[in-house]
């Protein structure tokens, strides 16, 4: 049965100034889809959400919505009435006095999310405010939920809750996020906004990465063929006399058409160029905490904690919102004195600090003044660069260099703060939630930079993939002011951390049942065939497997290319469903053939 199409965008154009955000774009959303919307900072992702919920109208093109379609949006920084209570904001019954069940739905959602109904909004943390906004959207019971960077300000527990909620969500959702683990966990389709076009890929983020690499290679080859043809035609037209003598007007018109197509081709935006000067090396010891304690009123933030940080360590500090991660950072850096115990800072320590609240940026200052006040030059790792060139490394055009900070988007502010941070020699980098608002490509480049950085890194983040890819050690909060050191990143911490306290006798029945079920499933698995020397039939099969796998992957790429056309979702939703089913079958066949390949390889090599 074909899925219901909730909203359809056809031939949409949207531009701000001379910069087209959507260039004759097509997009359709089907019931039950969970779409991850990705793209560069400033590409127009938030603008697309405003088109979907009706806050913005397109410059051209049409938008068709199902009759009675209910849409709810949760923005990056939700606007909530600070003077109201949580219940008042979530219930928000002013817009629909006829919805008598709304108060009871609001109480049920608040109870489910563990939110305090009678607490005033003004005293809430950023993470709790985001939960309140999500609760308000859920009470609306929308057919389509639009989420703009929903994981910003959420801790690990909040992110896990949101993942579970979205997987159980019956409606459709469009989610803008840079969190790669989150995209893998919840999305059924990835849509990339790239140079004004909307490119659709079935599956989650990891599957998108594979298919996007294939698509980019196809685009590169296509453009290379186009450029070769254009070059040949330019040579022909420059012969002049022959062109006029033959009066091949059709060929001349084709050349003019090729020139127009080439001019209209929107080249892929370059990557941010990151380079960081370590400056003078710090001493081997960067910081030492010895039986440190810190309390604020009745709250114990740090209780008898000791650690040693050495030059070159890359340490992740993780814990729930409000645990005291920033306080611990200040104790390590000597910016705050402990109530008990002692701290010691090493020699030649030069700190550069990336603030999650972007408080270091003067709203009225220009980009040039932020980077290099009073000078046209910056020096990075012994290389002198003009400030305009340096801003260009962070994708800021010369035209933007004189713009005030207040004109920048959240992602652009994050890029500017990184530019400011890297323009100052430092041997200790302190990064407090650096991944908020950065696009995925910039995140991956930042990861590479930090992996190669010879100085010391102190990182506070709730981005699980970023922690895994950057840090070598973890300082984790374990409740009641207790902090503990672990080797490795997020996944290693999850594997090593103490098991939660045993549940009451009656409460552990589901766990026992699950263990018994797992044991039965394990016993029911077929036992592997006995190993033996590979025979001629198996050897022939093994030799044919690479070609068979390549053929299946070629079919995958062809089908994925069809799904990248956004108009297919509008014009032939049944075909989309058929292609997705075919892709699932191909994926299953590939897994079987890879498993068979490994088995036969092991037999041939005598390792099985």
């Amino acid at each position: 049965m074909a899925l219901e199409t909730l909203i359809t965008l056809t031939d949409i154009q949207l531009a701000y100034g001379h910069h087209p955000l959507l260039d004759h774009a097509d997009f359709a959303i089907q019931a039950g889809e969970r779409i991850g919307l990705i793209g560069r900072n400033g590409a127009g992702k938030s603008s697309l959400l405003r088109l979907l919920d009706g806050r913005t109208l397109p410059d051209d093109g049409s938008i068709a919505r199902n009759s009675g379609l209910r849409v709810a949006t949760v923005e990056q920084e939700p606007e909530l009435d600070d003077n109201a209570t949580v219940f008042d904001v979530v219930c928000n019954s002013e817009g629909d006095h006829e919805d008598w069940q709304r108060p009871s739905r609001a109480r049920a959602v608040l109870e489910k999310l563990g939110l305090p109904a009678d607490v005033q909004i003004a005293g809430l943390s950023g993470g709790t405010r985001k939960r309140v906004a999500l609760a308000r959207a859920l009470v609306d019971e929308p057919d389509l939920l639009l989420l703009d960077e929903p994981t910003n300000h959420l801790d690990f527990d909040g992110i896990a809750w949101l993942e579970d909620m979205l997987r159980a969500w019956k409606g459709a959702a469009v989610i803008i996020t840079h969190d790669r683990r989150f995209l893998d966990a919840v999305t059924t389709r990835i849509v990339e906004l790239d140079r004004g076009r909307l490119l659709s890929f079935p599956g989650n983020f990891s599957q998108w990465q594979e298919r996007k690499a294939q698509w980019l290679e196809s685009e590169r080859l296509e453009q290379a063929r186009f450029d070769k043809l254009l070059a040949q035609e330019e040579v022909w037209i420059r012969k002049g006399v022959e062109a006029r003598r033959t009066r091949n007007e059709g060929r001349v018109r084709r050349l003019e058409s090729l020139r127009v197509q080439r001019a209209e081709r929107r080249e892929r935006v370059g990557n941010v160029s990151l380079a960081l000067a370590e400056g003078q090396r710090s001493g081997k010891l960067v910081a030492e905490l010895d039986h440190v304690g810190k309390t604020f009123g009745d709250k114990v933030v740090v209780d008898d904690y000791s650690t040693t940080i050495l030059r070159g360590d890359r340490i992740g500090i993780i814990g729930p919102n409000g645990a005291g991660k920033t306080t611990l950072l200040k104790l390590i850096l000597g910016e705050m004195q402990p109530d008990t115990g002692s701290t010691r800072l090493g020699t030649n320590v030069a700190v550069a600090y990336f603030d999650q609240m972007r408080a270091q940026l003067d709203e009225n200052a220009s980009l040039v003044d932020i980077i290099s006040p009073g000078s046209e030059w910056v020096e990075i790792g012994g290389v002198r660069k003009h400030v305009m060139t340096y801003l260009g490394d962070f994708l800021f055009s010369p035209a933007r260099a004189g713009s005030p900070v207040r004109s920048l988007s959240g992602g652009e502010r994050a890029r500017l703060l990184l530019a400011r941070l890297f323009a100052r020699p430092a041997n200790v980098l302190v990064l407090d939630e650096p991944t908020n608002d950065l696009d995925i490509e910039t995140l991956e480049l930042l990861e590479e930079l930090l992996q190669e950085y010879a100085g010391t890194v102190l990182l506070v983040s709730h981005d699980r993939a970023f922690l895994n890819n950057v840090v070598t050690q973890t300082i984790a909060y374990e409740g009641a002011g207790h902090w503990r050191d672990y080797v490795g990143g997020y996944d290693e911490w999850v594997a090593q951390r103490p098991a939660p306290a045993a549940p009451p006798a009656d409460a552990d029945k589901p766990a026992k049942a699950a263990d018994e079920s797992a044991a039965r499933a394990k016993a029911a698995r077929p036992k592997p065939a006995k190993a033996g020397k590979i025979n001629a039939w198996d050897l022939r099969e093994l030799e044919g497997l690479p070609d068979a796998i390549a053929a299946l992957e070629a079919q995958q790429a062809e089908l994925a290319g069809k799904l990248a056309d956004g108009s297919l979702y509008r014009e032939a939703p049944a075909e989309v469903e058929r292609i997705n089913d075919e892709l699932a079958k191909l994926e299953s066949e590939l897994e079987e053939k890879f498993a068979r390949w490994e088995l036969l390889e092991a037999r041939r090599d005598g390792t099985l």
Side-chain angles (χ1 to χ4, degrees), residues 384-402:
R384 201 161 178 253
K385 281 190 174 185
H386 193 275
V387 66
M388 293 294 190
T389 304
Y390 183 67
L391 281 168
D393 289 343
F394 289 81
L395 304 184
F396 292 111
S397 66
R400 299 290 302 279

Side-chain angles (χ1 to χ4, degrees), residues 89-156:
V89 167
V90 172
C91 188
N92 190 29
S93 58
E94 292 180 5
D96 189 356
H97 294 288
E98 296 181 3
D99 187 356
W100 301 106
Q101 295 181 335
R102 189 176 181 91
S104 61
R105 288 205 309 274
R107 292 189 186 92
V109 169
L110 289 176
E111 185 176 352
K112 184 177 180 181
L113 303 188
L115 289 169
D118 298 326
V119 171
Q120 201 169 24
I121 294 294
L124 300 181
S125 67
T128 306
R129 290 174 72 96
K130 183 63 72 75
R131 284 196 189 214
V132 170
L134 285 163
R136 180 173 62 184
L138 293 177
V139 170
D140 287 341
E141 294 187 328
D143 305 301
L144 175 60
L145 183 61
L146 308 177
L147 304 178
D148 196 348
E149 296 289 3
T151 64
N152 281 6
H153 309 304
L154 291 183
D155 54 26
F156 295 129

Side-chain angles (χ1 to χ4, degrees), residues 149-379:
E149 296 289 3
T151 64
N152 281 6
H153 309 304
L154 291 183
D155 54 26
F156 295 129
D157 290 339
I159 293 170
W161 161 79
L162 184 56
E163 286 177 356
D164 291 341
M165 186 276 287
L166 286 172
R167 280 195 292 260
W169 177 248
K170 301 300 182 186
V174 177
I175 307 151
I176 298 174
T177 182
H178 61 267
D179 189 322
R180 294 156 287 181
R181 288 277 284 264
F182 187 80
L183 285 167
D184 270 348
V186 305
T187 56
T188 59
R189 177 157 66 113
I190 297 292
V191 172
E192 182 186 15
L193 178 50
D194 179 20
R195 294 164 284 174
R197 295 176 296 171
L198 290 166
L199 307 171
S200 180
F201 300 83
N204 62 20
F205 178 76
S206 295
Q207 293 164 327
W208 166 82
Q209 284 186 306
E210 296 173 10
R211 288 172 180 149
K212 181 63 187 296
Q214 297 168 353
W215 184 86
L216 284 175
E217 178 61 15
S218 298
E219 183 186 52
R220 186 189 67 78
L221 293 173
E222 181 183 342
Q223 291 186 354
R225 287 192 293 268
F226 179 95
D227 291 343
K228 183 177 180 180
L229 174 62
L230 177 59
Q232 290 170 346
E233 295 301 290
E234 291 286 5
V235 169
W236 172 79
I237 198 68
R238 287 194 179 93
K239 290 181 180 178
V241 173
E242 179 185 341
R244 287 193 297 273
R245 183 183 301 145
T246 58
R247 296 186 61 81
N248 191 338
E249 295 179 3
R251 193 170 179 180
V252 173
R253 283 197 299 272
R254 183 176 71 163
L255 173 59
E256 291 172 351
S257 174
L258 289 173
R259 286 172 171 168
V260 170
Q261 290 177 50
R262 182 63 183 82
E264 289 179 347
R265 184 200 298 169
R266 297 186 63 187
E267 302 291 355
R268 185 164 180 77
V269 179
N271 284 327
V272 175
S273 176
L274 299 182
L276 179 59
E278 184 191 352
Q280 185 182 10
R281 294 179 76 191
S282 68
K284 185 176 181 181
L285 175 73
V286 173
E288 184 177 55
L289 276 63
D290 185 28
H291 297 287
V292 164
K294 187 69 180 179
T295 60
F296 293 98
D298 296 332
K299 183 177 180 181
V300 179
V301 179
V302 181
D303 184 16
D304 194 28
Y305 175 61
S306 300
T307 195
T308 301
I309 298 173
L310 302 177
R311 183 179 63 230
D313 285 349
R314 298 199 300 271
I315 297 174
I317 301 176
I318 62 180
N321 291 335
K325 298 185 292 293
T326 302
T327 297
L328 183 60
L329 271 178
K330 290 180 178 180
L331 289 167
I332 291 171
L333 298 173
E335 296 176 2
M336 181 181 291
Q337 295 303 309
D339 299 329
T340 58
S342 62
T343 62
R344 181 158 66 106
L345 199 62
T347 58
N348 296 325
V349 171
V351 177
Y353 201 102
F354 185 100
D355 175 18
Q356 66 165 319
M357 301 309 293
R358 319 287 190 254
Q360 301 174 33
L361 299 178
D362 180 349
E363 290 288 307
N364 297 313
S366 69
L367 275 59
V368 168
D369 289 338
I370 290 291
I371 299 301
S372 185
S375 173
E376 294 183 2
W377 303 91
V378 294
E379 190 166 314

